Amino acid sequence: AVEVSGDVYGGISSMYLWRGDDLSSGKAVFQSGADVSFKGFTLSYWSNLNLDTEQLDETDIVIDYSTDLGEMLALSVGDILYSVSGATTHELYLGLSVKTLLEPTVTVYYDIDAAPGDLFITASVGHSLNLGEGLDLSLGGLISYIDTDAFSDLHNFELSAGLDYAISEQLTLSPSVIYSTPLSDDSDNFAYGDGIDDEFMGGVTLTLSF
């Protein structure tokens, strides 16, 4: 038997926050996507709709392979195809997670297309708590490092919190918040053209799993 699993989801966020950068100029967005998994492989689709301009300004396709490396390590490798306002690029990534308290994870992203050689590295931790039947709290922290032709430096720090409320066995409602702040003068002033700022994002997502 072919065992396929996946989900479809959609949600509203107060902004499109990507690697500490507000890509929607503080305007609300609708973000949706779908994932289909089979024997460690996952094909994902994701999109961003700017609710102010009513433009679908980004769609991404991700191919991922994830597997366990023994009892303590987990590996994920993949390719992200970004399509942003008609321009495209490919980014390869490799992530390693330690299956222990806080699940520390290091992920390396490497652009091979529009910005060849650009490197982005994240180190993150996370923890989930069950608050009762059908209700879970997730907490996370992340720091990042960026390496481009213009500069190489620490990039941003993020704190995140989210609730997952199981409406049914397949339907989950998930409010969440993220706070991000730059970690260097380079990222504050020059990253992505005009630098990144302190940002606070809130949103809610509805997910149907199958």
Side-chain angles (χ1 to χ4, degrees):
V2 176
E3 297 183 1
V4 175
S5 62
D7 57 55
V8 292
Y9 59 88
I12 294 177
S13 295
S14 58
M15 67 174 65
Y16 176 10
L17 185 64
W18 182 76
R19 297 178 180 175
D21 193 18
D22 174 11
L23 297 184
S24 62
S25 301
K27 304 298 183 180
V29 296
F30 177 78
Q31 298 177 335
S32 60
D35 308 292
V36 177
S37 299
F38 173 69
K39 290 189 175 181
F41 290 93
T42 300
L43 177 64
S44 301
Y45 168 85
W46 181 90
S47 66
N48 183 80
L49 174 67
N50 189 307
L51 296 178
D52 182 54
T53 63
E54 299 183 351
Q55 294 292 317
L56 188 68
D57 51 23
E58 179 174 344
T59 57
D60 301 338
I61 302 293
V62 183
I63 299 176
D64 175 272
Y65 176 71
S66 297
T67 187
D68 290 336
L69 302 177
E71 295 183 358
M72 292 298 296
L73 290 177
L75 169 72
S76 292
V77 294
D79 174 36
I80 307 171
L81 170 61
Y82 298 92
S83 178
V84 183
S85 301
T88 63
T89 192
H90 277 273
E91 197 174 59
L92 303 180
Y93 66 87
L94 183 150
L96 280 176
S97 299
V98 182
K99 294 185 286 183
T100 185
L101 182 66
L102 300 183
E103 296 185 5
T105 301
V106 174
T107 307
V108 179
Y109 301 86
Y110 186 78
D111 196 298
I112 59 170
D113 193 355
D118 278 11
L119 194 67
F120 194 80
I121 303 172
T122 63
S124 63
V125 293
H127 187 63
S128 296
L129 298 169
N130 180 257
L131 302 181
E133 186 175 354
L135 186 63
D136 295 296
L137 171 67
S138 298
L139 302 173
L142 176 148
I143 60 172
S144 66
Y145 176 86
I146 190 170
D147 184 2
T148 70
D149 289 339
F151 68 92
S152 301
D153 213 331
L154 289 172
H155 184 61
N156 78 315
F157 169 69
E158 290 182 6
L159 288 175
S160 61
L163 285 172
D164 290 329
Y165 173 65
I167 299 173
S168 67
E169 289 186 359
Q170 293 180 292
L171 202 60
T172 304
L173 186 67
S174 305
S176 61
V177 293
I178 297 176
Y179 169 73
S180 173
T181 187
L183 287 179
S184 66
D185 290 339
D186 284 330
S187 285
D188 191 12
N189 296 313
F190 306 117
Y192 311 124
D194 56 359
I196 62 173
D197 302 311
D198 290 344
E199 304 289 359
F200 181 84
M201 183 192 75
V204 61
T205 301
L206 186 64
T207 303
L208 175 65
S209 302
F210 58 87

